Amino acid sequence: MSKEDERAYDALIEFKGFEGVSNEIAIRMIGQLIDLSGDLKRADGTNRALEWCDTVALRGLTNLETALLAYFRANAWENRHRERRRKQSVAWAWEQPEIQQQILHLRGAISLPGFAEMDSLRRCQILTNLANVLNTVGRFVDALEYWDRALQMNPRFGMALGNRGYGLEHYAKALYDQGHRAQVLFHAHQGLSAALSQQAFYEGEYYGAKRLFAAERAQIGRALDVEKVSKIIDSHEHSLGNSDEEQRYRSWCLQNRLFLNPLNDLGNRSVAARDVLMLPTFITPLHEPPTLIGFFNQMKQEFASARWLFYEGSRANEVHFSDRGVLLCNTLDYPSYSLAVEKVKAAFRVAYSIFDKMGFFLNDYMTLGIDADKVYFKSIWYQKYNAQPRKIRCEFEDSENWPLRGLFWLSKDLFDKDFQAATEPDARALYEIRNHLEHKYLKVHEMLLPRTHDESLEPWVTDRLAYSVQRRDLEAKTLRLLKLSRAGLIYLSLGMHRMEQIRQRGKDQTRVGSISLDLWDDDWKV
């Protein structure tokens, strides 16, 4: 770092207060102090910047200023994480408090109205940063969504191109299907090459990142005949079904990346229009029936059925005959009653229920010994979930299992009264919808009436027993849940593959027999 940077840092750290300083200048100073603190490795500067964030947040900020402040908070927490990860033991720690704060603030910035007011460069930076931290903790499926959103804004954005390629490379290494691995590696090589091309755009020098991208591309080139794969890769010659209805449905699934197929994460490619994800090869006692395979079959079927229910419910454009003659009163608050709405609700229920089932699966596979009635997706990771501080079970903490750690971090997106902290700003709303769907009263509206300060009118716009949600908001949240449960099933399968690799290190493979099972024919599914 230059002497000029050190002088700028000293001037900022000695600044006494923001009295008389405009919001715009104050926020700019916060961003500068965070950047300089990170470059100079000065923890005191990062601490001061976070204190300033708390002070400025109490002012009357515009939407844009509020979103920028959330982004700068995330950068400050990245400084803290960078400082902490110098210790070797931190890299594979399952709990990463600094990353948890980064995810929360970056998502907060994206969800705020001010995000749309930012220039495209800043939005690309935020989306790319969020993708990077999600990928770090093992949520590579979720990370791809944010890299792709950045590249939709700027297809030449170098840090999104390069990091996406890097993420795909590691995704490929986690796969057990060699054909899928080759295709994902090929796309990783393409992304890294684009990031290193003269057309790539960088807002700074990024020498270290470019060296990393070049090294990773060279590594793929040594492991894969890229030219050969480019000639044989088959992306667009697969049938999407016989009927127009089936083709529309499968096209919709591809566009929303809802097939249980890693190739669907590469984009809208017809080769991915099948739910081919299975459990990996695993070792089990000879007398053990295929219990886990049957369980995974069931979760897959439930997901696929929920996906179809949501598709039908969210796209309905006419009254179903089963709704005719069902007499209902008009409660004057624009209620939404129909079979289509109930299908969306059912899809929400099923998608949410899959999470606890994944926990039940892990309890058996990892032999955690948790009482079956006390298995919950949020709590299985901890030795004693009601103890403070919570400690990760050694079965997880002691394993360098990237996909399984991704599943653990996915659990942080869900709210639970015993686990108040969540990395998803919308987690509480998802929890309340599920709770009211299952146990209380969820009311769906075509439109929500605004709250009123007139006490005589309030009962007519607020149902005191209901948790009210607008129909399009329920649909958006259900689609989000479907994507989360899909990602979870991928992490579960690939995490199991990684665990089998860990378990078999140094074991005598000559005592292992092989049993294969036939597939259940589609014609039998009636």
Side-chain angles (χ1 to χ4, degrees):
M1 298 301 297
S2 67
K3 292 291 184 183
E4 184 179 345
D5 288 332
E6 291 179 0
R7 285 194 293 271
Y9 174 85
D10 290 338
L12 284 168
I13 205 73
E14 291 171 8
F15 189 74
K16 299 302 181 185
F18 289 123
E19 188 175 347
V21 177
S22 69
N23 291 343
E24 180 182 359
I25 293 175
I27 291 173
R28 189 185 308 153
M29 290 173 65
I30 290 171
Q32 290 173 340
L33 181 56
I34 291 169
D35 288 343
L36 289 168
S37 300
D39 293 339
L40 295 168
K41 298 179 176 60
R42 296 291 299 271
D44 53 341
T46 297
N47 295 339
R48 176 67 60 83
L50 283 170
E51 291 172 3
W52 286 356
C53 286
D54 293 338
T55 300
V56 172
L58 298 175
R59 296 182 170 196
L61 301 178
T62 65
N63 289 337
L64 175 59
E65 290 165 348
T66 302
L68 276 173
L69 198 62
Y71 168 59
F72 289 141
R73 280 187 193 271
N75 289 348
W77 282 101
E78 164 58 15
N79 285 355
R80 285 186 170 178
H81 179 246
R82 217 179 302 153
E83 183 71 24
R84 185 167 170 263
R85 74 183 176 203
R86 291 180 190 175
K87 298 178 181 178
Q88 187 63 29
S89 60
V90 170
W92 272 106
W94 281 47
E95 288 285 17
Q96 301 271 359
E98 297 83 7
I99 285 184
Q100 186 160 320
Q101 289 297 321
Q102 285 180 71
I103 294 173
L104 185 62
H105 291 302
L106 288 169
R107 281 178 164 170
I110 292 169
S111 66
L112 288 166
F115 182 72
E117 300 176 28
M118 293 179 179
D119 61 75
S120 61
L121 172 59
R122 185 71 79 193
R123 282 180 285 159
C124 284
Q125 290 171 330
I126 293 172
L127 291 166
T128 300
N129 287 359
L130 178 54
N132 292 347
V133 294
L134 288 171
N135 188 63
T136 295
V137 296
R139 294 189 61 181
F140 41 91
V141 172
D142 307 271
L144 285 163
E145 175 186 341
Y146 292 101
W147 281 319
D148 287 347
R149 283 177 62 180
L151 291 170
Q152 285 171 5
M153 271 188 263
N154 184 350
R156 296 169 48 240
F157 193 66
M159 290 303 286
L161 286 167
N163 281 291
R164 184 180 186 276
Y166 179 79
L168 282 174
E169 179 191 7
H170 288 268
Y171 190 167
K173 291 177 179 177
L175 296 171
Y176 50 82
D177 185 288
Q178 297 302 314
H180 285 179
R181 177 179 293 187
Q183 291 198 51
V184 177
L185 276 177
F186 174 77
H187 282 81
H189 190 275
Q190 282 191 316
L192 292 164
S193 296
L196 294 166
S197 72
Q198 300 232 338
Q199 288 73 40
F201 167 78
Y202 291 88
E203 70 275 21
E205 296 297 340
Y206 290 102
Y207 293 123
K210 291 176 183 177
R211 283 195 296 271
L212 173 65
F213 300 156
E216 297 300 319
R217 182 180 66 170
Q219 183 174 329
I220 294 173
R222 290 190 293 270
L224 184 75
D225 189 334
V226 176
E227 185 175 350
K228 180 180 178 180
V229 174
S230 70
K231 291 177 180 177
I232 64 174
I233 195 166
D234 183 7
S235 302
H236 301 289
E237 297 181 0
H238 293 259
S239 171
L240 292 180
N242 299 321
S243 67
D244 291 342
E245 182 180 23
E246 183 180 0
Q247 290 171 16
R248 285 192 296 270
Y249 169 64
R250 292 189 178 278
S251 294
W252 174 85
C253 292
L254 282 172
Q255 290 164 7
N256 287 281
R257 298 187 186 181
L258 285 174
F259 279 111
L260 289 170
N261 187 331
L263 297 184
N264 198 187
D265 290 315
L266 300 176
N268 187 359
R269 308 168 65 238
S270 60
V271 68
R274 297 292 184 275
D275 297 300
V276 299
L277 182 76
M278 305 285 278
L279 289 184
T281 299
F282 64 100
I283 295 177
T284 187
L286 186 61
H287 59 78
E288 175 73 18
T291 302
L292 292 178
I293 294 173
F295 192 2
F296 195 75
N297 281 349
Q298 184 61 40
M299 287 190 284
K300 275 186 68 174
Q301 183 60 59
E302 289 178 10
F303 170 82
S305 299
R307 183 179 62 195
W308 169 252
L309 287 171
F310 175 75
Y311 174 80
E312 277 200 317
S314 62
R315 294 168 65 89
N317 52 21
E318 60 183 32
V319 176
H320 192 268
F321 64 81
S322 68
D323 287 323
R324 299 191 185 280
V326 180
L327 301 184
L328 302 170
C329 292
N330 184 357
T331 51
L332 306 179
D333 53 358
Y334 299 95
S336 188
Y337 298 114
S338 68
L339 175 63
V341 171
E342 295 308 314
K343 286 181 177 180
V344 173
K345 287 181 182 179
F348 188 103
R349 283 190 182 100
V350 172
Y352 212 119
S353 73
I354 289 173
F355 299 121
D356 278 341
K357 290 172 183 176
M358 286 190 282
F360 195 72
F361 182 102
L362 278 175
N363 184 48
D364 184 85
Y365 173 66
M366 300 287 291
T367 59
L368 302 179
I370 304 173
D371 188 295
D373 294 331
K374 297 179 180 178
V375 174
Y376 302 104
F377 186 52
K378 289 283 288 185
S379 64
I380 60 161
W381 314 98
Y382 301 98
Q383 293 178 15
K384 293 182 180 179
Y385 76 89
N386 54 356
Q388 292 293 341
R390 295 189 180 97
K391 293 185 66 175
I392 300 291
R393 287 178 172 272
C394 61
E395 293 93 338
F396 301 120
E397 186 72 79
D398 294 343
S399 69
E400 296 184 359
N401 193 320
W402 188 49
L404 204 55
R405 190 171 71 166
L407 189 60
F408 164 68
W409 275 82
L410 188 151
S411 76
K412 290 177 177 288
D413 273 9
L414 304 178
F415 176 86
D416 186 278
K417 62 182 184 299
D418 294 323
F419 294 79
Q420 296 289 323
T423 55
E424 170 57 65
D426 212 21
R428 183 64 187 254
L430 294 174
Y431 170 83
E432 291 294 349
I433 289 172
R434 195 242 184 151
N435 189 30
H436 283 75
L437 267 174
E438 297 289 358
H439 309 295
K440 300 176 186 177
Y441 170 25
L442 182 80
K443 192 169 193 178
V444 182
H445 306 259
E446 291 297 330
M447 61 176 288
L448 284 174
L449 295 171
R451 299 296 296 269
T452 174
H453 296 294
D454 188 334
E455 292 184 4
S456 64
L457 294 176
E458 185 66 20
W460 294 102
V461 298
T462 304
D463 191 322
R464 63 183 176 82
L465 288 180
Y467 184 89
S468 291
V469 61
Q470 197 162 343
R471 181 172 179 173
R472 67 168 179 262
D473 191 30
L474 175 63
E475 291 174 353
K477 286 178 168 58
T478 304
L479 180 58
R480 173 70 181 145
L481 268 183
L482 285 167
K483 290 187 174 187
L484 283 176
S485 57
R486 170 193 179 262
L489 289 168
I490 293 175
Y491 299 146
L492 179 65
S493 174
L494 300 187
M496 186 175 176
H497 174 55
R498 175 59 182 151
M499 189 58 68
E500 289 299 307
Q501 292 176 320
I502 294 170
R503 288 177 174 179
Q504 298 314 310
R505 285 175 183 166
K507 285 194 175 181
D508 182 6
Q509 297 297 307
T510 61
R511 300 179 62 189
V512 177
S514 176
I515 299 176
S516 60
L517 299 177
D518 292 331
L519 297 177
W520 189 259
D521 195 281
D522 284 346
D523 292 338
W524 303 340
K525 299 172 183 176
V526 292

